[in-house]
Amino acid sequence: MQIFFWALSILITLYTGYKYIPEVLQWKIKPHAFSWLPWMILVGIAFIIQIKNHENIWWFGALAASTLVCAIIFILSLKYGEKNITRGDIASLTACLILIVFWLLIKDDLLALLLICLIDALAFFPTWRKAWIKPREESIGMYALSSLKSFFSLFWLWNPILVNWLYPVFLIIINLGFALYLVWRRKIINK
């Protein structure tokens, strides 16, 4: 059963990229590079650490798929993404990059995990701000499916201790919260 949920998580990740990327290329979705850069770095470093330490082979496929999707979206966001960059966006990106350095230096697993959650949340700020004004330039489905993928990842954890399930639970909450935020903002804008 764990293999099924592991494969499902990878397929959902690839599917979200498959649906999101063409919408970016058609100028329907405008990802914010200042969000996608930290997300790409976080997932990419986690992928490299897993390969280097051979800690959890299950994460290889999931992290590889996530790194690939984040990297493609980040690259596309440079051309097709949000161009209205604010001081808050710059501050958010700067804080994320500084915290990533601290994250790499920390030896305590729980503290490192809490920093990852903080970085991920800060990276959401530029996208959240942009979606306040232009909620149709983000994909509700992509964030809802990302939440679902994180939910399914809980079923293939070999060792369900706090440091293993905290980040997927955080991702469930933040991605689902953002999808609901987009629904709400679209309703407000329509009125």
Side-chain angles (χ1 to χ4, degrees):
M1 211 53 189
Q2 285 176 314
I3 292 172
F4 170 76
F5 286 113
W6 171 75
L8 192 57
S9 295
I10 293 172
L11 289 174
I12 289 172
T13 300
L14 294 173
Y15 179 75
T16 58
Y18 170 76
K19 294 295 284 182
Y20 192 82
I21 291 167
E23 290 184 17
V24 171
L25 293 171
Q26 296 165 4
W27 298 92
K28 293 179 183 175
I29 301 293
K30 293 186 180 176
H32 203 302
F34 284 29
S35 289
W36 286 97
L37 177 61
W39 292 334
M40 178 189 71
I41 291 170
L42 280 177
V43 177
I45 290 172
F47 177 63
I48 291 166
I49 289 170
Q50 289 294 322
I51 289 175
K52 182 180 172 187
N53 296 330
H54 305 289
E55 286 185 18
N56 187 343
I57 193 139
W58 292 98
W59 274 106
F60 287 174
L63 289 173
S66 292
T67 302
L68 176 66
V69 170
C70 286
I72 291 170
I73 294 171
F74 167 68
I75 291 166
L76 291 175
S77 72
L78 297 174
K79 179 176 181 179
Y80 298 96
E82 175 65 21
K83 301 298 184 219
N84 179 21
I85 307 299
T86 66
R87 283 184 283 186
D89 297 340
I90 293 168
S92 171
L93 177 63
T94 303
C96 287
L97 297 176
I98 291 168
L99 288 173
I100 286 171
V101 173
F102 284 119
W103 167 56
L104 293 172
L105 298 174
I106 291 176
K107 303 299 179 205
D108 180 88
D109 289 343
L110 184 57
L111 184 56
L113 185 62
L114 293 173
L115 261 180
I116 289 171
C117 291
L118 177 61
I119 294 164
D120 202 299
L122 281 172
F124 244 109
F125 173 78
T127 298
W128 201 279
R129 180 202 56 79
K130 179 194 72 123
W132 177 262
I133 302 164
K134 303 178 253 183
R136 296 205 180 282
E137 290 184 3
E138 279 300 335
S139 169
I140 294 169
M142 199 274 286
Y143 290 98
L145 284 172
S146 293
S147 184
L148 184 64
K149 170 200 67 169
S150 298
F151 175 73
F152 287 143
S153 74
L154 293 172
F155 293 100
W156 52 266
L157 292 175
W158 286 103
N159 190 5
I161 59 174
L162 179 65
V163 293
N164 288 344
W165 62 260
L166 183 62
Y167 189 57
V169 168
F170 168 80
L171 290 175
I172 291 166
I173 294 166
I174 199 160
N175 283 306
L176 184 58
F178 187 67
L180 294 172
Y181 171 75
L182 290 172
V183 169
W184 173 73
R185 283 302 298 159
R186 287 180 183 186
K187 284 183 180 180
I188 296 293
I189 300 270
N190 286 341
K191 289 181 180 178

